[in-house]
Amino acid sequence: MKNKSLVSINDYSKEEQLKILEIAKGFEKNPVQDILKDHVIASLFFEPSTRTRLSFESAVSRLGGKIIGFSEASNTSVKKGESLRDTILTIANYSDLIIMRNPIEGSARFASEISPVPIINAGDGANQHPTQTLLDLYSIIKTQGTLDNLHVAFVGDLKYGRTVHSLVIALCNYNTTFHLVSPLELKLPSSVKMYIKERKLAYHQYTELEDAIPSADVLYMTRIQKERFSDPLEFERIKNSYILSNNMLDNTKENIKVLHPLPRVNEININVDTNPKAYYFEQALNGVFVRQALMASILGLS
Ligand code: CP
């Protein structure tokens, strides 16, 4: 994986993804090391973020590295009209690795094609979020003991949810049965469904959350993505389509875990937070170890 950009989850083979998860276990046991002490990591966030940006920053800090960058482009020369190309070529001079979140689908791929240093896609529009997928896989294997043959229910905004797109694609390596719960307007894109079909895996589509919960080993809740809607009234109409509450987990499988990439808005009642079946805050913590493992691998330090 040395010097290899991660733009789409499939840029890394199943074996490479599993290797990252294995290395992450070591960082979970020993997260403070100085392996990045001679490295500068650039973190370019053109879109808001709490977990991805700060878990990367935490990961770099705990490994003794330096992080430079911005959390909004409005106080950079992008505001003066500088292109993404020139921004990347400039920042590549100052850093060993670039982490980028950008609202434009395909922007991370473009950056990886012109950058002399590797690019990690921290989310490009509604397309993909591959580092979230690695931490989701890590969370699933930690809680289920396996990635194989699981029933995974995805709930909410399956159309715009980039974490959903990349995780579905990754789980196609593990004989997953998919349960897809969404309003009719927010169904999983046909390109992602085609990916499941081509691998001859089963998927079931629902509009009611209650219909999918009983068979799920993993319940992957997502937020309806207000920022992707062109019609605010349509968002208002469907924004509270699914709200998971504690009592809905009563008759679920013993091993079920509720994941959510976060941020949460209304889709999980806070009364679920103390339920042993809730795992979303631990999931966010796992992001630090997985991102440490990813950067160490790309920089040839693991
Ligand atoms: N999961 C995730 O991408 O969260 P942030 O938008 O806070 O980074």
Side-chain angles (χ1 to χ4, degrees), residues 81-97:
E82 187 166 46
S83 66
L84 181 62
R85 178 180 182 278
D86 290 0
T87 302
I88 294 293
L89 290 176
T90 302
I91 294 170
N93 284 330
Y94 308 149
S95 60
D96 304 302
L97 171 65

Side-chain angles (χ1 to χ4, degrees), residues 156-160 182-188 224 229 238:
D157 188 344
L158 310 191
K159 179 178 179 184
Y160 297 118
S182 73
L184 293 175
E185 300 84 346
L186 297 177
K187 284 164 94 170
L188 192 70
I224 308 286
F229 280 73
I238 57 180

